[in-house]
Amino acid sequence: MVATSRVSPTLPKVNIVVRNRGRLVLGILAVWLVLWVFLRGMHTLALGGAQLTSVHHWFNDLNDVIGANRNSNPIFLYFFNYIRLFIDNFVVFLQSIIAQPSFGRPLPLIGWFGVVALVGFVSYAVANIRVALLAAAGFFFLGLQGLWRESMDTLALTLAAVIISLVIGIPLGIWAGLSDRFNRIITPALDFMQIMPSFVYLAPLTLFFLIGPASATIATLIYAAPPVIRLTAHGIRSAPHDTVEASESLGSTKTQTLTKVLLPAAKRTIVLGVNQTIMAALAMVTIAALIDAPGLGKTVIKALQTLDVGTAFNAGLAIVVMAIVLDRVTTAAATRGRSRPNRIVLLVGAALTAFAVWLSYTYVWAAEFDSQWDIGSTIVLWATDVTDWVQSNFAPITNGVKDFFTLVLIDPLQAVLADSPWWLVTAAIVAISVVIGNVRAAIVSAVCLALLVATGLWSDGMTTLASLLVATVFTMIIGLVVGVWMGRSQRADRVIRPVLDAAQTMPHFVYLVPFLALFSASRFTAIAAAVVYAAPVAVKIVADGIRGVSATTVEAAVASGSSNWQTITKVQLPMSVRAVTLATNQGLIYVLSMVVVGGLVGAGALGYDVVAGFSQGQLYGKGLAAGIAIVLLGVMLDRLTQAAANRTQRGGSR
């Protein structure tokens, strides 16, 4: 009885608040649908594929003006051009070492044999022998795939972005860890950088840095720097206060305290930040192929655009292998304790690695993969044959699934959003923002929707929003089902969590390939890929929320006669409602980034507008406007879901 009385004051309050808001939202939706019946097709602001608005023409003119004055305007001549030149030269330098012919040689300075040896040695030095063997085998496999040069181009671009990110990010993270004021200033900027789909960075950067490695590297830097800044700051702030106070009491200066106490204490967290930065950089580098970044991403994009599943699979597999290797090496480096490799073994390994590098510099067989070893063509043929077989034998099933979800869910929702008057959609979304969030969230929604109208891409924005909402619903269904299972079962968590961790290391493009093979190019293909891409983060947040519910509270519910279902629905989910709301927030952001990438496989709408803007010069302005529209959707949904999470937490804590 005593245990039961502890849980009774909180749970009903949370349930009542959620139910009341749910009824209000349902009422708003009902009014919207009734009005839609009578106003359908009016004021929809539809725009044809080749049509341009005055805003799009203005962006085109701006692009032309900047291009004409790039070498005469002082801002470009002495600022942007110098940045572009420095980054281009840095990328070319890295490519000349491992990827491209250079210094009058027909091959790079270090050939495949030397690179494999270097990767193995560095992996052993920072991790352990098992990781070293995995890394060496993984890079050797890249050569067997016939994609060595493309892989090294991707690695060079990734390294360039990561090095610059760390040079900038770690000092900023230290500053944020030491200064509360700077931490408050930089946190909103980091939030903005991380919630934006990687697509949207590309078009604006080409305006200032042209299409090529510089824009790709800067875009990657913007996308990849936040993790290391955040985790460095977190590591500094998490250092034991007793140790810091002891250091200061002994007369240590601020610099000595930082270098002798804070940084060593934060080392593991900083290395985890490096891991996240590397994985984000690799994901972004593949997407940056849209602006002529070299490497595997360009191969995947060309294959997706021509629906060549076999080639896309082979290149996608290479990206997966590289991602696994980089993730395992940095993760092992972060989790390794105080143990160090045997010094003698390290010296012998360094000597053997130097010899391997010399061989790769001197002999062709050690510099360039023998074409007789190539198994890439076999992988391409195998993947193509499997795709043809699946499409021939399972077409009734796959087409049935695709048609069912398209006709029952996607088309109706898209009709309501895209065929409603723009002002009706705006009014409904603002009203919902007030109910589930707050007045501030409603103002943000109103401003974002007004600016979306100004971009001239309202109809495409609503089409993208429809796909986004459908994908998010299925993401959260998976997140709740699997997350609750993991939160209640340690065994399930031990089995499933490593799979989810591995799934989160995969770049966007990789998820498109299998669904393209199953469902061909369509909106459903992009939505299905988005669900699989976003589900891991939602599952883990829900699982952590369920596990965070007090064991005493759960035991009290069980003791009072609650079944498993009642315990889940009446206790654990209501008390982890903030975690569920945060999972929805993160699911939305991940889904948005994937849905727009789905423009490459028939998703259309804003994703297609962005891709078309890169490939067709007259549509550049429209593509840039589409990127802005994606930003507006991302900001609106992020602010709304965060406001809902905060309001739920306050409501449950009263």
Side-chain angles (χ1 to χ4, degrees):
M1 292 299 294
V2 174
T4 305
S5 64
R6 291 178 182 173
V7 303
S8 59
T10 304
L11 297 184
K13 188 181 295 184
V14 175
N15 286 327
I16 291 170
V17 169
V18 172
R19 281 200 299 269
N20 288 340
R21 288 188 211 161
R23 289 167 184 164
L24 287 172
V25 170
L26 288 176
I28 294 169
L29 294 176
V31 172
W32 182 1
L33 288 175
V34 171
L35 293 176
W36 172 77
V37 172
F38 297 100
L39 301 173
R40 184 176 185 179
M42 298 173 58
H43 307 149
T44 59
L45 306 180
L47 191 70
Q51 285 183 285
L52 301 177
T53 67
S54 58
V55 173
H56 306 157
H57 284 296
W58 186 83
F59 282 142
N60 282 338
D61 294 340
L62 178 64
N63 186 37
D64 293 339
V65 169
I66 290 177
N69 296 279
R70 189 177 299 277
N71 294 320
S72 58
N73 186 291
I75 296 177
F76 282 89
L77 199 59
Y78 299 110
F79 184 68
F80 290 119
N81 287 357
Y82 273 106
I83 294 175
R84 177 168 58 86
L85 184 63
F86 169 77
I87 293 178
D88 276 341
N89 288 338
F90 186 44
V91 173
V92 169
F93 170 72
L94 293 177
Q95 287 179 299
S96 67
I97 295 177
I98 61 174
Q100 296 290 338
S102 57
F103 305 108
R105 292 167 49 87
L107 296 168
L109 286 180
I110 304 178
W112 72 267
F113 193 63
V115 171
V116 170
L118 272 172
V119 168
F121 174 72
V122 171
S123 300
Y124 173 71
V126 302
N128 54 59
I129 186 64
R130 288 182 298 177
V131 173
L133 293 174
L134 171 66
F139 270 67
F140 182 73
F141 183 72
L142 297 176
L144 293 180
Q145 289 183 269
L147 295 170
W148 181 259
R149 176 172 291 187
E150 291 88 344
S151 300
M152 293 304 101
D153 278 329
T154 296
L155 181 63
L157 201 57
T158 301
L159 288 176
V162 169
I163 290 170
I164 298 173
S165 296
L166 298 183
V167 168
I168 296 173
I170 291 179
L172 288 178
I174 293 173
W175 188 5
L178 297 174
S179 170
D180 292 336
R181 178 180 296 178
F182 181 69
N183 188 57
R184 288 194 299 269
I185 293 172
I186 199 173
T187 296
L190 298 178
D191 290 341
F192 183 81
M193 292 162 68
Q194 287 194 290
I195 67 173
M196 291 304 98
S198 48
F199 246 29
V200 304
Y201 298 128
L202 304 182
L205 289 171
T206 59
L207 197 63
F208 298 102
F209 300 104
L210 297 177
I211 288 177
S215 292
T217 304
I218 295 171
T220 305
L221 164 66
I222 295 172
Y223 186 69
V228 74
I229 297 175
R230 286 185 187 277
L231 287 171
T232 299
H234 176 70
I236 295 292
R237 289 177 174 274
S238 300
H241 293 293
D242 294 343
T243 307
V244 175
E245 291 174 357
S247 174
E248 293 174 345
S249 66
L250 291 173
S252 297
T253 64
K254 291 183 178 180
T255 301
Q256 290 173 327
T257 301
L258 175 64
T259 56
K260 302 296 185 181
V261 178
L262 293 175
L263 287 178
K267 179 181 177 182
R268 179 172 178 177
T269 306
I270 293 173
V271 176
L272 286 174
V274 173
N275 168 268
Q276 294 301 302
T277 292
I278 291 173
M279 302 317 298
L282 180 59
M284 186 64 193
V285 161
T286 57
I287 294 174
L290 287 167
I291 54 174
D292 204 33
L296 295 167
K298 185 175 291 187
T299 304
V300 175
I301 285 177
K302 289 180 179 178
L304 291 175
Q305 290 175 333
T306 59
L307 304 183
D308 183 355
V309 177
T311 301
F313 177 83
N314 189 43
L317 180 61
I319 295 172
V320 171
V321 170
M322 185 174 293
I324 291 173
V325 169
L326 295 177
D327 179 63
R328 288 299 90 198
V329 171
T330 50
T331 300
T335 56
R336 191 179 69 176
R338 296 180 178 272
S339 62
R340 293 290 184 271
N342 184 282
R343 186 169 297 180
I344 296 177
V345 174
L346 206 59
L347 289 174
V348 172
L352 292 175
T353 301
F355 180 63
V357 170
W358 177 80
L359 288 175
S360 71
Y361 177 84
T362 307
Y363 296 99
V364 174
W365 66 266
E368 187 175 27
F369 256 89
D370 192 331
S371 59
Q372 293 181 352
W373 298 355
D374 182 8
I375 63 172
S377 55
T378 303
I379 294 175
V380 171
L381 290 175
W382 175 82
T384 302
D385 291 342
V386 170
T387 300
D388 292 340
W389 181 82
V390 169
Q391 292 179 347
S392 298
N393 291 275
F394 293 93
I397 298 175
T398 56
N399 289 338
V401 171
K402 178 174 66 177
D403 292 343
F404 173 80
F405 283 100
T406 300
L407 295 174
V408 174
L409 293 176
I410 304 172
D411 284 349
L413 182 57
Q414 181 176 317
V416 173
L417 287 168
D419 293 345
S420 293
W422 68 269
W423 49 265
L424 176 59
V425 177
T426 300
I429 292 177
V430 169
I432 292 172
S433 300
V434 173
V435 172
I436 67 174
N438 51 40
V439 175
R440 183 179 297 178
I443 293 173
V444 171
S445 296
V447 171
C448 289
L449 292 171
L451 293 175
L452 182 59
V453 172
T455 65
L457 295 170
W458 175 267
S459 182
D460 284 354
M462 292 301 100
T463 300
T464 296
L465 183 58
S467 297
L468 172 62
L469 293 176
V470 171
T472 302
V473 168
F474 281 97
T475 297
M476 288 311 301
I477 291 173
I478 296 173
L480 288 171
V481 173
V482 182
V484 169
W485 182 24
M486 289 174 59
R488 289 171 57 85
S489 170
Q490 288 288 348
R491 179 179 298 178
D493 189 88
R494 285 195 301 270
V495 173
I496 299 173
R497 191 171 290 268
V499 177
L500 300 179
D501 292 339
Q504 285 192 276
T505 66
M506 302 300 107
H508 305 59
F509 283 171
V510 174
Y511 290 90
L512 293 175
V513 177
F515 289 100
L516 181 64
L518 286 172
F519 302 106
S520 300
S522 66
R523 287 173 297 166
F524 179 78
T525 301
I527 290 173
V531 171
V532 176
Y533 176 67
V537 66
V539 169
K540 291 202 288 186
I541 293 174
V542 172
D544 291 341
I546 294 294
R547 189 173 295 107
V549 176
S550 169
T552 303
T553 305
V554 175
E555 290 171 2
V558 173
S560 64
S562 297
S563 63
N564 287 337
W565 175 254
Q566 290 172 324
T567 302
I568 293 170
T569 58
K570 302 297 184 181
V571 178
Q572 290 177 304
L573 282 178
M575 295 196 70
S576 58
V577 67
R578 175 167 170 79
V580 174
T581 311
L582 289 175
T584 305
N585 170 273
Q586 291 301 297
L588 276 166
I589 300 306
Y590 274 66
V591 165
L592 179 60
S593 66
M594 190 67 187
V595 164
V596 294
V597 172
L600 293 167
V601 292
L606 294 177
Y608 173 79
D609 292 334
V610 173
V611 175
F614 292 130
S615 58
Q616 303 176 46
Q618 72 275 15
L619 296 180
Y620 176 84
K622 192 173 185 178
L624 185 56
I628 295 173
I630 294 168
V631 171
L632 294 171
L633 288 177
V635 170
M636 180 183 73
L637 294 169
D638 177 68
R639 293 299 96 185
L640 177 56
T641 50
Q642 286 204 28
N646 293 333
R647 183 170 179 179
T648 300
Q649 184 181 40
R650 289 194 299 270
S653 62
R654 289 194 185 102

